[in-house]
Amino acid sequence: ATGGVDYLQSANKAMNFAKMSLLPGPAPGSLYLNDAGKGKLGGAGLGLIALSYRIRFDNGAGKEDAEGLANYILSQQNEDGSYESYLKITGKEQKGSVSLYYPGEAILGLMKLYEIDKNQRWLDSAKRGAKWLIASQRAMKSLPPDAWLVQALEALHKAGPQPEYLEHAIALSLSMAGKQYKLDSKNNPVFKLNSVQASARAEGLAAGWRMARAAGDASETRLGKAVQHTARFLLNNQYGPKEDFPEPELAAGGFWTTAKNGNPEIRIDNVQHSISALLHLADEMK
């Protein structure tokens, strides 16, 4: 976003480290990220998103690994369009519940690579996965906070507009906005979520806002306010250089895991989600 070469170099160092965990997958030409003996669909999806950016900004570097992860995602898709969350290794099912976020991460990864190489296989899998997810979530009592799916639906809608993509993305976004905060007696937002949850969901809210605005949907105003409230909340939960504890400069720029005056811990994923969310919001609020 800034054009800073040091950020690209740091990102590449992280991806070179991750490359050491890539192993051959169950299908020809497939690769998965070995995470402590587990093959997670979400790891492949997020890895694919990262590599897609590397391909764009680093002269095509990582294309072969990206295709390997995409092939792995395809190998984990069932006939009904759903995806397996965990890889079966040595004939045994990996323990772990089905993840809410992994399918959306995987679909978004496929779409990011499709935007680069226009491989129809990635698009077809993403469409089938989205169709299954939309149907299964509509059958739930309440919609889940699936911010990754909103971002994936935005990418799918750009590739080939479909009413169900727009409708479900907006429905998910409105549901998340309704659970983010409540308004007090003075009409000020009081957040019900911690900053980790708020930042992760803000990425989806921004995507839903973009879709609503482009479609001229009435939800644009509601989602726009939710995005702006979230931006203020995140900025208020960022460490400054003069906090009241030893060596505050070491924490400067980080984000509280919970709301301020709560748990002072800084989690790296919270920093990442907050940076990503604020970049989304900065683009939309210009």
Side-chain angles (χ1 to χ4, degrees):
T2 66
V5 176
D6 52 342
Y7 298 137
L8 177 61
Q9 291 173 342
S10 180
N12 280 340
K13 285 172 65 178
M15 284 187 277
N16 289 337
F17 174 80
K19 183 179 175 68
M20 293 189 292
S21 296
L22 284 176
L23 295 176
S30 68
L31 296 169
Y32 74 95
L33 279 164
N34 179 20
D35 182 1
K38 293 183 179 180
K40 300 177 181 179
L41 180 72
L46 295 180
L48 185 51
I49 294 169
L51 284 170
S52 296
Y53 280 104
R54 186 177 197 178
I55 293 167
R56 288 181 183 275
F57 299 126
D58 198 20
N59 299 315
K63 181 69 160 56
E64 186 174 343
D65 290 339
E67 291 174 344
L69 289 174
N71 282 322
Y72 169 72
I73 291 172
L74 264 61
S75 76
Q76 297 303 290
Q77 190 167 34
N78 300 310
E79 289 186 8
D80 62 2
S82 64
Y83 294 95
E84 295 292 332
S85 290
Y86 298 91
L87 174 66
K88 294 179 180 178
I89 299 176
T90 63
K92 295 181 179 180
E93 183 74 56
Q94 287 290 333
K95 292 182 179 180
S97 60
V98 175
S99 170
L100 164 64
Y101 303 113
Y102 288 0
E105 292 168 348
I107 294 170
L108 182 58
L110 290 174
M111 290 307 300
K112 289 296 183 183
L113 186 56
Y114 171 76
E115 289 170 3
I116 295 170
D117 65 12
K118 302 303 180 185
N119 188 323
Q120 190 66 31
R121 295 172 63 230
W122 318 144
L123 179 62
D124 290 343
S125 176
K127 285 181 175 179
R128 291 176 57 222
K131 182 178 180 180
W132 185 87
L133 278 174
I134 291 171
S136 63
Q137 290 182 0
R138 284 178 173 174
M140 297 178 180
K141 291 183 178 179
S142 62
L143 290 173
D146 197 347
W148 289 107
L149 179 57
V150 179
Q151 296 172 77
L153 290 174
E154 180 186 29
L156 278 163
H157 198 60
K158 287 180 179 178
Q162 295 292 335
E164 58 266 32
Y165 297 156
L166 176 65
E167 292 168 6
H168 196 64
I170 290 177
L172 284 173
S173 300
L174 289 172
S175 177
M176 287 190 292
K179 296 172 183 176
Q180 287 271 64
Y181 59 86
K182 61 181 179 180
L183 296 176
D184 64 16
S185 58
K186 296 182 180 179
N187 217 34
N188 295 315
V190 178
F191 269 73
K192 298 184 284 185
L193 305 178
N194 62 41
S195 58
V196 179
Q197 297 166 319
S199 59
R201 298 176 190 186
E203 297 165 282
L205 282 175
W209 184 27
R210 283 191 295 266
M211 294 180 74
R213 188 175 58 202
D217 190 89
S219 62
E220 174 193 350
T221 301
R222 172 73 177 89
L223 294 176
K225 288 181 179 179
V227 167
Q228 293 173 38
H229 291 327
T230 303
R232 294 191 192 100
F233 175 73
L234 295 179
L235 292 173
N236 286 336
N237 280 282
Q238 187 173 33
Y239 279 108
K242 297 181 180 180
E243 302 289 346
D244 187 20
F245 51 75
E247 300 184 286
E249 67 278 1
L250 297 179
F255 292 82
W256 293 68
T257 296
T258 57
K260 274 202 171 180
N261 301 319
N263 182 359
E265 177 187 29
I266 299 176
R267 281 176 34 166
I268 192 65
D269 60 334
N270 187 27
V271 178
Q272 176 271 315
H273 278 301
S274 295
I275 291 172
S276 180
L278 289 171
L279 285 173
H280 275 288
L281 306 185
D283 285 341
E284 297 311 309
M285 294 170 66
K286 287 179 180 177

